[in-house]
Amino acid sequence: MVFRALMRAGVSLDSQEKIVETIPFSIGDITAGSENELQAVVVGDRCHVDLPQVIEQSGYFATVQRRAASGETPRKAVTDLESFLANNSSKVWENSWVRFPYRKLSSFARQTFKNDLMTDKKNPGAGQRADSGKFFFQDNNGQIMLRLPISYLIKLALADLLGSQQILPDLIRSTGIRLLGHFLNDNTSPETFSFNVVSSTEKQGSGIAIASETAIRYLLTQLLVQYANLAFGLLENGQEAQVYCAPHPPVRQKELNEHVPDSFYRELFMSPCLSGWDKGEEKFRYMQLCHQVLSRSQLNGVAKLRDAGIILNNLVVLPNLSNISLANNGTHLSIGSRRLTAALANKASGFGAADEKLLGDLAIKITEHFLPLFVGTYTAAPFRLGYADFHPEKALGFLPHELDYTHLRMLWRRWRKKADISIFGQPVTPFGPPVIDRFLSRVFDLKGDFVPDYRLVDYLVCLLSTDMSPALSGQLGNSDQLRQDLAQMGVFDEQMSLYLLYKQREFSKMGFSGFEGRHYSLFYSFVKDMSQAADLQVLITALAYQYMARGIDHSVIPDGSSIESERRQVFFASAIGLPTFFVRKDTSNHFLAGIIRRTRGVRPSKRYPGYLRVLVSEYRLALLEMLRQDGSALVEQMGLKETLDELKERLQQPELYAASGQLTKGILDTLGSRAPLATDARTFNTGAEQYYRTSLRHKHTEEAFDLLQARCRIMDQEESNLEESVRKALRLSLQGEDAASFLKNRKEDVLQGKASISTLQRIINLLLITVYSDAQPVSEPLRLEKEDMPCCISM
């Protein structure tokens, strides 16, 4: 069946050379795009910022105060909230909304906002959303004010910039209007997705193209936030909005979540979904459902830990009924195959949805074995857990829903051994009462642990199949049945999209056929890390189809929860930083068994009879050698030999070359600390947030700005070949300067946040021109060679 589906998709099985030339995701066959989630904060005194004012003026706060005064509620419920409001020396309020006068908006921005307040944007007659009033209020002077999340502020800033310039070329205006829908007001964090789908050619892969597009999109976001701070009067009213890359829910937001009920948390932090959907209120209700389901799922995980034998008594710390994991931020990197898409669009090909599903599920199962290569190497989310955090019901996050009991017990035992929680050589988990845990931590100097990518543990990144309903069996409708099973177990909801590490993008739903990588946390560099990660994702996916063409089918990687858990455990072990994992000697996963045979240092386990003890480091090196050997033709075709050489350095010397090492060094330098465990957990994690908000934001912005300069140098060189509308727009924006010099002279103002409104308008206009140019079909698309790369990104 697999061979037949491949041939229907246009794959030639005549020879190895033909296979490499015709399989999906080979060079010239790829399209790519990304979606990025960012962290938003407002800096200012509590008397000027929306979040503390909303808390103070809320009915919930008044009710708690009244009940505390009458003795119905402990006084601590009030003092905890008062402490959150009063003790904020940094003046940083994570995920706060902003307030500014409605009159500051241009007419076009007002019209954009009015349209986004519709119940159904495709049906104006349906009227306004029922919650429209929450975005308006009157100040003490009777002035109409707006309250908006920063994720929507960014879109409104672009609309205002387009509407506030009297003379604006149609090219810039139309491009800007097209991009409005790419700024999403979803969940909690600001989200954006690719302005243009990028493509590979016979000469160049898609990695550098998608990394550059992502960086330029990030730069535009930074410029629009700076513009909003000035044009909407935020700075003059004591508010500074900031947006940056950060993987974890903020520490103070987590602490606040411990003191408020889930309904009030959603009122404070769930975005209203004004932008990105025709029926925003429906999407808002869906996001509330997601929050409720994940909160319930986290609570149900405690019962699984008891059933697994990890919790042996009733001394547990119950998770909060309000789960904060949806406030995490990552990157989703999607790749599409022109060949698969064309075959599905052509009914005469005989390649249909069933074939797409058959091949796609198998490609995912193969790819999941290689995902440990990405963890910590290209993205990371460094995190410190203190001793008191080592309650299994807290530390293990959503792992009870992602691994079966056997692998969960193995992982927890190894994690306890790795962490600094031992007394006289025996790991001792916290007892529960904070006073006892603090006493033990202080007396025995128990530091807890440092985790390279805790986002992958603290967030539900995938769901374990049931034996009756495997998610990746290759059968149409299998994920629907699994969602029903999980809903009955209290783990998930049928209305929600199934969570997977590597997810198929079906032609019938997306308009293209491909896959979405959802395992990326925080990139240290767009060009150095994201581009190589994208190329590696393409290589592994293409290799998966090559394996199919060589005879691997679903029988080689059987379905079943234990088999699924067995191959995924090393992914989570890599995220936690565990040195070993265990595989059954007689595993029925023949593909995994083949990898283990190529792995050095494997020996029978003394603790677990019938299992092999495998070093994570050696397993990952074995995966790398498989890419070199089995995928040699693809590596040569895609020009990825150097990428694989650098990957080996990342794997063998992570502290120097991997994203985890680079990010950890930046955090430690910010704190002036020598090692993660030399700093207490809260200090390290708040220091990480400070590093992301300051130094890393500056680095990302500079890197993106340099990419824009490189793009503009090419435009300067090719000015005579540009279409007349582009030349006209450039003349108006540059006012006699060449593009590269214009940007060079204003770079520091942008990096220091001191650019004027006029400067920001002109830079954004120039950026929109490059976005327009990159969207035009050309015979030879933009190629950024090494000499065009920003010098600041070299390692």
Side-chain angles (χ1 to χ4, degrees), residues 34-181:
S34 70
E35 178 183 332
N36 303 83
E37 300 163 336
L38 303 171
Q39 179 61 50
V41 302
V42 177
V43 182
D45 291 324
R46 61 185 285 188
C47 59
H48 297 305
V49 179
D50 183 79
L51 179 62
Q53 293 184 66
V54 168
I55 294 173
E56 285 183 292
Q57 297 165 12
S58 67
Y60 171 75
F61 193 39
T63 299
V64 172
Q65 286 179 311
R66 184 176 65 253
R67 289 179 175 175
S70 66
E72 298 176 53
T73 299
R75 177 62 191 168
K76 188 176 185 298
V78 176
T79 57
D80 284 339
L81 281 176
E82 290 175 339
S83 176
F84 173 83
L85 296 171
N87 300 329
N88 187 8
S89 58
S90 68
K91 299 181 180 181
V92 174
W93 304 90
E94 291 87 354
N95 292 311
S96 174
W97 291 19
V98 293
R99 302 178 170 199
F100 62 92
Y102 179 69
R103 61 178 172 80
K104 292 284 189 178
L105 296 181
S106 67
S107 58
F108 181 65
R110 293 185 186 189
Q111 182 58 45
T112 300
F113 185 37
K114 180 180 178 181
N115 183 65
D116 285 333
L117 287 177
M118 290 181 180
T119 298
D120 183 352
K121 296 180 178 67
K122 291 185 176 179
N123 179 19
Q128 285 193 335
R129 294 167 51 133
D131 62 354
S132 295
K134 70 187 289 185
F135 308 113
F136 298 90
F137 70 97
Q138 283 190 339
D139 66 7
N140 295 332
N141 298 319
Q143 180 178 213
I144 298 177
M145 302 287 288
L146 293 179
R147 299 186 56 245
L148 297 171
I150 292 177
S151 53
Y152 187 69
L153 177 79
I154 299 168
K155 174 182 178 178
L156 209 57
L158 178 55
D160 187 81
L161 179 135
L162 298 174
S164 61
Q165 299 178 75
Q166 294 183 348
I167 302 176
L168 192 64
D170 289 341
L171 180 151
I172 296 176
R173 187 183 306 278
S174 60
T175 301
I177 291 173
R178 177 175 72 83
L179 299 192
L180 289 174

Side-chain angles (χ1 to χ4, degrees), residues 328-477:
N328 87 92
N329 303 305
T331 293
H332 297 172
L333 208 164
S334 294
I335 59 173
S337 164
R338 290 185 175 122
R339 183 168 287 109
L340 292 178
T341 301
L344 287 160
N346 179 14
K347 293 182 179 180
S349 70
F351 187 80
D355 298 306
E356 180 189 30
K357 180 69 172 172
L358 176 71
L359 299 181
D361 280 1
L362 183 53
I364 292 171
K365 290 196 287 190
I366 294 172
T367 299
E368 282 187 351
H369 292 81
F370 290 89
L371 292 186
L373 289 174
F374 294 88
V375 180
T377 52
Y378 298 111
T379 64
F383 195 77
R384 273 280 280 116
L385 286 87
Y387 174 70
D389 297 321
F390 258 86
H391 298 276
E393 60 273 19
K394 293 179 65 176
L396 288 171
F398 286 96
L399 286 175
H401 302 312
E402 299 170 307
L403 296 175
D404 72 8
Y405 292 161
T406 298
H407 300 123
L408 193 61
R409 285 192 297 268
M410 290 174 171
L411 181 143
W412 179 238
R413 186 198 66 82
R414 197 62 189 84
W415 194 358
R416 292 173 67 222
K417 185 177 179 181
K418 169 194 177 233
D420 186 354
I421 61 170
S422 295
I423 299 176
F424 303 126
Q426 291 297 318
V428 178
T429 52
F431 288 85
V435 64
I436 296 179
D437 293 342
R438 285 195 296 269
F439 173 77
L440 289 174
S441 177
R442 184 174 61 255
V443 171
F444 293 100
D445 193 27
L446 306 178
K447 295 182 172 62
D449 196 21
F450 169 71
V451 177
D453 197 336
Y454 192 58
R455 174 184 169 271
L456 298 177
V457 179
D458 197 37
Y459 179 60
L460 187 58
V461 293
C462 64
L463 282 159
L464 188 65
S465 295
T466 64
D467 289 331
M468 296 298 294
S469 301
L472 301 171
S473 62
Q475 300 295 316
L476 287 174

Side-chain angles (χ1 to χ4, degrees), residues 21-34:
E21 290 174 4
T22 59
I23 56 171
F25 304 99
S26 56
I27 192 72
D29 184 53
I30 308 124
T31 59
S34 70

Side-chain angles (χ1 to χ4, degrees), residues 126 153 164 190 222 243 260 264 323 335 560 600 700 707 752:
L153 177 79
S164 61
Q222 295 297 322
V243 172
V260 299
F264 190 47
N323 182 265
I335 59 173
R600 296 179 179 177
H700 282 162
L707 284 167
Q752 299 301 322

Side-chain angles (χ1 to χ4, degrees), residues 155-395:
K155 174 182 178 178
L156 209 57
L158 178 55
D160 187 81
L161 179 135
L162 298 174
S164 61
Q165 299 178 75
Q166 294 183 348
I167 302 176
L168 192 64
D170 289 341
L171 180 151
I172 296 176
R173 187 183 306 278
S174 60
T175 301
I177 291 173
R178 177 175 72 83
L179 299 192
L180 289 174
H182 288 252
F183 293 93
L184 304 182
N185 176 219
D186 177 23
N187 195 6
T188 298
S189 305
E191 296 185 21
T192 65
F193 65 94
S194 289
F195 294 155
N196 300 314
V197 175
V198 304
S199 303
S200 67
T201 68
E202 296 298 334
K203 298 179 180 179
Q204 183 182 31
S206 56
I208 183 59
I210 190 57
S212 300
E213 190 280 330
T214 301
I216 294 299
R217 182 161 26 97
Y218 175 85
L219 176 60
L220 178 57
T221 302
Q222 295 297 322
L223 296 171
L224 289 172
V225 170
Q226 289 189 29
Y227 175 87
N229 282 329
L230 295 174
F232 296 157
L234 297 181
L235 288 176
E236 66 186 62
N237 287 303
Q239 308 165 81
E240 181 185 0
Q242 295 181 2
V243 172
Y244 53 95
C245 297
H248 295 297
V251 171
R252 275 176 47 83
Q253 188 172 327
K254 279 187 174 182
E255 293 171 346
L256 176 62
N257 186 52
E258 295 292 329
H259 308 317
V260 299
D262 60 336
S263 58
F264 190 47
Y265 174 86
R266 288 192 290 272
E267 181 182 335
L268 292 174
F269 295 114
M270 300 301 289
S271 291
C273 304
L274 289 167
S275 176
W277 298 271
D278 291 329
K279 298 180 180 179
E281 279 183 294
E282 286 188 7
K283 176 66 174 179
F284 178 50
R285 286 191 289 271
Y286 172 80
M287 295 313 306
Q288 289 181 310
L289 171 70
C290 292
H291 182 258
Q292 292 171 325
V293 169
L294 291 181
S295 298
R296 180 188 66 193
S297 183
Q298 177 188 233
L299 192 60
N300 288 341
V302 177
K304 283 194 170 185
L305 291 173
R306 181 194 60 202
D307 295 341
I310 291 175
I311 294 177
L312 301 177
N313 52 47
N314 291 326
L315 293 176
V316 298
V317 177
L318 286 178
N320 195 310
L321 291 178
S322 175
N323 182 265
I324 198 174
S325 67
L326 284 173
N328 87 92
N329 303 305
T331 293
H332 297 172
L333 208 164
S334 294
I335 59 173
S337 164
R338 290 185 175 122
R339 183 168 287 109
L340 292 178
T341 301
L344 287 160
N346 179 14
K347 293 182 179 180
S349 70
F351 187 80
D355 298 306
E356 180 189 30
K357 180 69 172 172
L358 176 71
L359 299 181
D361 280 1
L362 183 53
I364 292 171
K365 290 196 287 190
I366 294 172
T367 299
E368 282 187 351
H369 292 81
F370 290 89
L371 292 186
L373 289 174
F374 294 88
V375 180
T377 52
Y378 298 111
T379 64
F383 195 77
R384 273 280 280 116
L385 286 87
Y387 174 70
D389 297 321
F390 258 86
H391 298 276
E393 60 273 19
K394 293 179 65 176

